[in-house]
Structure formats: structure tokens, C-alpha cells
Amino acid sequence: MATVEKKSRNTRQQKLILQALRQTDRHPTAEELYEKVREAMPRISLATVYRNLMKLERLGQAQVFKAPGEKRRYDGNVRTHAHFRCRNCKRFFDFDGSNGVFGSLERELGQWSREDFEVEDYRLELIGLCGDCR
Amino acid sequence: MATVEKKSRNTRQQKLILQALRQTDRHPTAEELYEKVREAMPRISLATVYRNLMKLERLGQAQVFKAPGEKRRYDGNVRTHAHFRCRNCKRFFDFDGSNGVFGSLERELGQWSREDFEVEDYRLELIGLCGDCR
DNA sequence: TTTTTATTGGGAGGGATTATTGTTAATGAC
DNA sequence: GTCATTAACAATAATCCCTCCCAATAAAAA
């Protein structure tokens, strides 16, 4: 049975949350975004922040990262890029492909595509020890 | 005080709207007719489309169907016929009486007629799940 | 033609619908 | 147990359809 998609509303809260998310590359948690958005809208609820982050993910405007035992972290940068998570200090970095590491990965992905499916994008998260923790 | 019926003018807009309405059996919404008529008259206003649809109904040249929470749908076919509305996908079909269902309905209607009133016509709208949504 | 006035375009406004909110409580992972 | 996240629900507000407004236009009458 064809499901009727209900349509989304562009609320003030949603705009503020997306804006706060894009203003940083520090991959904030919901709690951190909550504190930030509260500066502009003191009465906003934490549940609203969570709900909007879910919605933004559904809309392709945000990415969510979850590691066992860690809080969820959010990213408003939807250009394809990789992340590095330090298993010691738990920091979560952007990791760009400027060193050419990803070129070969992407060639590989291209080869996986066949007539019945096509790899269009990827998500890559690297875990290890960061420079400070080594 | 007798209300003076003001006389109607046959405008270019009215002609185009009626023509567009008769060219389809898809029971368009005002918005859809607006888009269609705009091809021939780009500067026509949506309000004009609504106004003319009201007028055409008054003149007996169109029928209007309204279900709660749904947009109004218009039909340029003024011969008596039934409709089927799918509660899921919201499509709105013509429903002809070729299977004999309406024969008995009409006999029934005939019996309701008495000296003080007479059933001359009917409007029948069926709501359910269409084939695709079942 | 000129006059009369129904009708138009376009934006603003209103009522109805319903997605979203704030709150508190419940859940569930660890 | 603790703490991150979600559910429940009545109140709120975003949005959708449609209508109103009014100066400008154009159909029909004179």
C-alpha cells in the first residue's frame, strides 16, 4: 500500500539548529547544540533538538555518528568526507582526502558497481590514536 | 427586494478554463487547471481560475467535489456519473455504472419520489482503496 | 465611438488542518 | 544505579487552500 509521505515544516527551531551545526566543524553532540541554540532561543527543549537532528538526517542535511559507549555526534557537512575517532581521547576529527588515500578507495568503489546496483557515495570512519595520544 | 441578477461576460479566461477542464477526465484541482491555462495565458491569476470555476458551477457547466482535508476537484462532465475516491493515494476516478450497480440504485431513487418531491438526479462518490493501494 | 460595469491580476488575509513544540515521564544502554 | 535518548500529549504555530480587496482592464450596450 502506497504510503503517503507527510510534509515537513521549516520551523524557527530547525533553522537555528542547522545554522549552529554548520557554524562548527567540531561534530557537536545534541547536548552541545542545545546549549548553543539556547543562546538564541532560551526556551527550546532538548527533545526538540534531538527531533530536529533526526529530521535533518532524514533530509540529508546532517550526518550522525555513533560509537559504542559514546554520545551521538552530528555533522552538518554533507560533502563526502571521512572522520577519525581517537580511541583514547574520544575526539572526532574531519579527515580529508588531500593525501590521495581516497582516490584508490573511490576507484575500488567504482569497480563494485554493476548493472543491478551502483555505489554512489561512501561513509568512512577511521578509529585509532590521534597525534596527541600516541 | 428582488435581487437583480447581474449579467455575465464571456471572457477569454473563462473560455480557456472551461476548455482545459473539458480536455481531461482527471478531475483537476484549481491549481492544476491554473498550470494548464498558464501555457496559453501566462499572466492569468490563480484567483481568476477559482472565480471562474465558481461561476461555471453556478452556470451548470462544471461540478465541484470537496472532501474534508482534500483540495477541491472539478469536473467538466456534467452528465450524471459516479466517482471513486481512494482514501490512501487520494486519486479521484470516474466510476461508470457498466456493471449494473446503478440500475438498482436508480430504481430505489425512483421509489423515493412522491407527489411532494422527486429525485431527479444523484451524486455518488465512493471512497475506498484503489487497486494500486490494496 | 463612448459609456457602463463585470471581470481581471496580484498580493494580502483568513480559516482549517496538522506537523511540531515544550514538558515530563519512560526507556534502554552500559 | 547513571545518563543519553525517545515517547506521550496537549498546546502552538507553519502551511495550505481559498477568498477578498481594489485599481486597472475589457466585454457588452448605447
Side-chain angles (χ1 to χ4, degrees):
Chain A
M1 182 167 113
T3 319
V4 181
E5 184 82 24
K6 77 178 181 178
K7 74 186 49 173
S8 102
R9 288 175 189 177
N10 200 2
T11 63
R12 223 148 65 73
Q13 288 85 343
Q14 178 182 330
K15 281 180 219 157
L16 284 170
I17 290 163
L18 182 54
Q19 184 182 317
L21 186 57
R22 284 182 173 161
Q23 263 168 12
T24 179
D25 61 349
R26 302 178 61 89
H27 312 93
T29 61
E31 184 75 29
E32 285 162 359
L33 283 166
Y34 173 59
E35 290 305 331
K36 181 69 186 167
V37 172
R38 232 137 70 100
E39 294 169 13
M41 184 182 274
R43 301 189 52 87
I44 194 171
S45 144
L46 178 58
T48 297
V49 175
Y50 275 106
R51 276 185 301 234
N52 275 286
L53 287 169
M54 274 187 266
K55 180 176 164 192
L56 288 169
E57 192 200 6
R58 217 174 48 240
L59 298 176
Q61 314 227 55
Q63 277 189 289
V64 191
F65 298 90
K66 173 82 178 86
E70 293 292 314
K71 307 182 191 181
R72 248 155 249 206
R73 296 194 158 271
Y74 298 85
D75 192 338
N77 175 2
V78 291
R79 296 190 333 271
T80 299
H81 63 292
H83 291 102
F84 182 90
R85 188 190 297 276
C86 178
R87 68 169 162 76
N88 183 247
C89 66
K90 310 301 185 190
R91 276 187 298 176
F92 191 70
F93 304 93
D94 278 334
F95 196 88
D96 77 15
S98 55
N99 49 17
V101 172
F102 300 141
S104 61
L105 174 64
E106 282 168 14
R107 274 195 299 283
E108 195 84 19
L109 291 175
Q111 300 204 347
W112 289 348
S113 294
R114 294 189 309 234
E115 77 253 10
D116 53 343
F117 70 92
E118 185 175 338
V119 178
E120 293 187 322
D121 203 357
Y122 62 90
R123 250 174 88 130
L124 178 60
E125 200 178 322
L126 307 166
I127 293 109
L129 279 180
C130 70
D132 292 351
C133 292
R134 274 235 319 275
Chain B
M1 183 174 97
T3 322
V4 179
E5 188 78 27
K6 70 182 184 178
K7 83 182 44 169
S8 106
R9 289 176 187 176
N10 199 2
T11 65
R12 215 152 78 72
Q13 287 87 342
Q14 179 182 332
K15 281 180 219 158
L16 284 169
I17 290 163
L18 183 55
Q19 183 184 317
L21 186 58
R22 287 184 170 158
Q23 263 169 13
T24 180
D25 62 349
R26 301 179 63 89
H27 313 91
T29 61
E31 184 77 32
E32 285 161 359
L33 284 166
Y34 173 60
E35 289 305 330
K36 182 67 186 170
V37 171
R38 232 136 73 98
E39 293 169 12
M41 184 183 273
R43 299 189 55 87
I44 195 173
S45 148
L46 178 59
T48 297
V49 174
Y50 275 105
R51 276 184 302 235
N52 275 286
L53 288 169
M54 275 186 267
K55 184 176 163 191
L56 287 169
E57 191 200 7
R58 219 173 47 238
L59 299 175
Q61 314 221 54
Q63 277 189 290
V64 191
F65 298 89
K66 172 81 178 85
E70 293 293 312
K71 310 181 190 182
R72 246 154 249 204
R73 296 193 159 273
Y74 298 86
D75 192 339
N77 175 3
V78 290
R79 294 190 334 273
T80 300
H81 63 293
H83 291 102
F84 182 89
R85 187 190 298 276
C86 179
R87 68 167 163 77
N88 183 248
C89 68
K90 312 302 186 189
R91 275 187 297 178
F92 191 69
F93 304 94
D94 277 334
F95 196 88
D96 74 18
S98 54
N99 48 18
V101 172
F102 299 142
S104 62
L105 173 66
E106 282 168 14
R107 272 194 301 283
E108 194 87 16
L109 293 175
Q111 301 203 346
W112 290 347
S113 294
R114 293 190 309 232
E115 77 255 10
D116 53 343
F117 70 92
E118 185 177 336
V119 178
E120 293 187 323
D121 201 358
Y122 62 90
R123 252 171 87 130
L124 177 61
E125 199 178 320
L126 308 167
I127 292 114
L129 281 180
C130 69
D132 293 352
C133 290
R134 274 236 324 277

